[in-house]
Amino acid sequence: MKNILVTGGAGFIGSAFVRTMTQRYPNYNIIVYDKMTYAGNMDNLLPVHDEPNFRFERGDIASRASVARVLGEYQIDTVVNFAAESHVDRSILDADAFMHTNSIGVYILLDEGRKHGIGRFLQVSTDEVYGSVPVGFSVEGSPLAPRNPYSAAKAGGELMARAYFETYRMDVLITRGSNTFGPYQYPEKLLPLFITEAIDERKLPVYGDGRQIRDWLYVEDHVSGIDTVLHHGASGEAYNLAGEDLRHNIDVVRALLERLGKPEALIQHVPDREGHDLRYAMSSEKAAALGWQRRFTFDVGLAETVRWYAANEWWWRKIKTGEYLEYYKRQYAARLAAAEE
Ligand code: NAD
Ligand code: TYD
């Protein structure tokens, strides 16, 4: 492993991976390849911009010619694919980009990777491919049963990755991370949206009764899990990376309000997300057997995350303009109005 292509490396988790890997492995060359959608942000890569082992190329994983050029030019031997459309609510509004990137893009990346004879290919996937898990914990052999356009398109991508292992014996690995949070997360997901809105004392739109359950994983733990699987995982295998810290959404919201010293009166229950998955829960015993262990509890991660957003308004205030405001209106205006009636 020497020249690692990190696709989607300007997003939330990808950039955290790049910030860690450039430091931890100075002898690896880290090449970020990113389309720079609304979620791609060069500010996320500022801390590594001048590192000698860091390069950036703009491009789409679904563009064959562009992928082929970068694989050849940098003599890529390893691909870690973070590139995705990642927000469930946006996938419910319009799934085109989700199919393009999360399914077709993964296929193109695999296919060009095979033609260029690359070594390891790690596909970053999600616990959402198991669908809603009413009781118990998903293990890697549990059926994939995605229930929304985002997770269905992600399942398509990882199934193709598996097909490339079975058919061409390509050295493919899959990680399935749980709900990830931490600094530099785009303020459309629950935690960064609600932290930044609460700072401005705006209403926090909780879907339905807020009794849905998510398993929370701090971003640094997600990154260390991917690093572990990349170096020690067995070819063709999938590995769950779970926080094993399950919370009801409403308790997450109460905890962040308490940390910020803001009133619970900001909570506004709004009409539920369509097809809302009630519960995600996985076991990560298999990754633990590779030596991975999460270090941050939800409470410790939340304290750090709230501190970071409070201290880094420069990062998120400029995002909350333009396209972001249009999306916010489309997603929330009618919901908030319905709730107030
Ligand atoms: P993100 O939305 O913050 O970042 C996605 C990045 O991919 C952006 O930089 C974007 O510009 C880039 N991108 C999008 N389409 C592209 C394309 N066609 N070609 C090249 N680049 C493209 O997402 P994230 O939260 O950092 O998630 C990263 C990965 O981890 C995704 O694959 C996601 O499915 C997975 N994941 C996320 C979570 C979570 O809670 N955020 C949990 C488990 C798994
Ligand atoms: P989200 O961060 O979108 O992640 P995911 O849907 O991938 O789990 O949402 C986390 C949970 O929070 C999910 O159950 C939906 C809920 N949620 C709200 O109640 N209100 C919101 O405005 C958002 C964005 C999410």
Side-chain angles (χ1 to χ4, degrees):
M1 221 182 287
K2 184 161 175 13
N3 300 321
I4 307 181
L5 190 70
V6 181
T7 49
F12 164 49
I13 309 172
S15 68
F17 180 77
V18 171
R19 293 191 300 271
T20 298
M21 297 295 278
T22 46
Q23 299 296 317
R24 193 176 290 168
Y25 303 102
N27 52 330
Y28 292 173
N29 295 311
I30 308 288
I31 298 97
V32 168
Y33 180 82
D34 199 296
K35 186 177 178 180
M36 302 306 283
T37 66
Y38 75 94
N41 186 346
M42 285 314 278
D43 286 346
N44 301 356
L45 295 168
L46 276 179
V48 295
H49 209 266
D50 296 326
E51 294 296 330
N53 60 341
F54 168 78
R55 292 285 180 281
F56 178 83
E57 290 279 346
R58 185 170 189 164
D60 186 337
I61 59 165
S63 161
R64 220 175 243 290
S66 172
V67 168
R69 178 186 68 75
V70 170
L71 290 176
E73 202 169 302
Y74 291 95
Q75 299 178 14
I76 299 297
D77 47 54
T78 306
V79 173
V80 182
N81 179 34
F82 291 90
E85 288 294 332
S86 66
H87 193 37
V88 172
D89 289 328
R90 288 188 191 250
S91 81
I92 294 169
L93 293 172
D94 182 355
D96 277 11
F98 289 76
M99 286 305 293
H100 174 85
T101 297
N102 303 4
S103 292
I104 294 169
V106 180
Y107 155 66
I108 302 276
L109 205 50
L110 285 160
D111 200 50
E112 284 303 317
R114 177 177 70 87
K115 288 178 183 157
H116 281 79
I118 65 156
R120 299 226 111 169
F121 185 109
L122 189 148
Q123 169 64 12
V124 178
S125 191
T126 164
D127 61 356
E128 301 201 18
V129 296
Y130 296 117
S132 196
V133 183
V135 288
F137 296 85
S138 308
V139 293
E140 288 78 356
S142 300
L144 301 193
R147 300 178 62 251
N148 61 57
Y150 160 69
S151 53
K154 286 293 290 183
E158 75 158 87
L159 287 172
M160 191 57 93
R162 191 184 156 78
Y164 270 61
F165 166 75
E166 298 290 354
T167 310
Y168 305 109
R169 291 287 137 190
M170 206 170 148
D171 183 6
V172 168
L173 299 152
I174 292 159
T175 56
R176 298 186 186 128
S178 58
N179 274 65
T180 305
F181 69 107
Y184 299 96
Q185 185 170 28
Y186 193 88
E188 65 188 352
K189 307 281 165 41
L190 179 70
L191 271 170
L193 173 67
F194 280 24
I195 292 169
T196 56
E197 294 286 279
I199 287 174
D200 286 345
E201 307 211 334
R202 284 160 52 89
K203 290 281 186 193
L204 310 182
V206 171
Y207 295 152
D209 60 8
R211 300 290 299 162
Q212 306 83 2
I213 294 171
R214 293 293 183 267
D215 173 24
W216 294 95
L217 177 64
Y218 191 61
V219 64
E220 282 185 34
D221 284 328
H222 195 160
V223 163
S224 76
I226 292 171
D227 182 6
T228 301
V229 171
L230 185 64
H231 285 94
H232 306 294
S235 206
E237 294 293 315
Y239 295 89
N240 292 345
L241 300 173
E244 295 182 344
D245 209 337
L246 272 58
R247 308 273 162 144
H248 289 105
N249 289 345
I250 194 71
D251 296 332
V252 168
V253 179
R254 289 198 179 113
L256 77 86
L257 284 170
E258 196 183 324
R259 283 251 147 232
L260 282 166
K262 298 288 182 185
E264 290 200 5
L266 291 179
I267 294 173
Q268 176 75 69
H269 290 273
V270 299
D272 210 347
R273 173 186 281 173
E274 299 83 350
H276 200 161
D277 286 340
L278 284 182
R279 179 175 178 270
Y280 298 138
M282 299 187 293
S283 156
S284 35
E285 256 176 55
K286 192 172 165 186
L290 296 181
W292 177 70
Q293 231 185 337
R294 77 137 164 79
R295 287 176 44 230
F296 295 85
T297 60
F298 176 73
D299 292 327
V300 170
L302 180 68
E304 179 51 23
T305 305
V306 167
R307 190 203 62 73
W308 190 86
Y309 280 91
N312 289 283
E313 295 195 10
W314 70 273
W315 183 86
W316 55 266
R317 288 220 182 267
K318 60 182 168 186
I319 293 175
K320 287 189 153 192
T321 54
E323 191 275 344
Y324 175 89
L325 291 181
E326 269 163 46
Y327 162 72
Y328 186 90
K329 204 166 137 200
R330 210 170 150 207
Q331 180 61 23
Y332 294 107
R335 277 195 161 85
L336 283 164
E340 270 158 25
E341 268 166 20

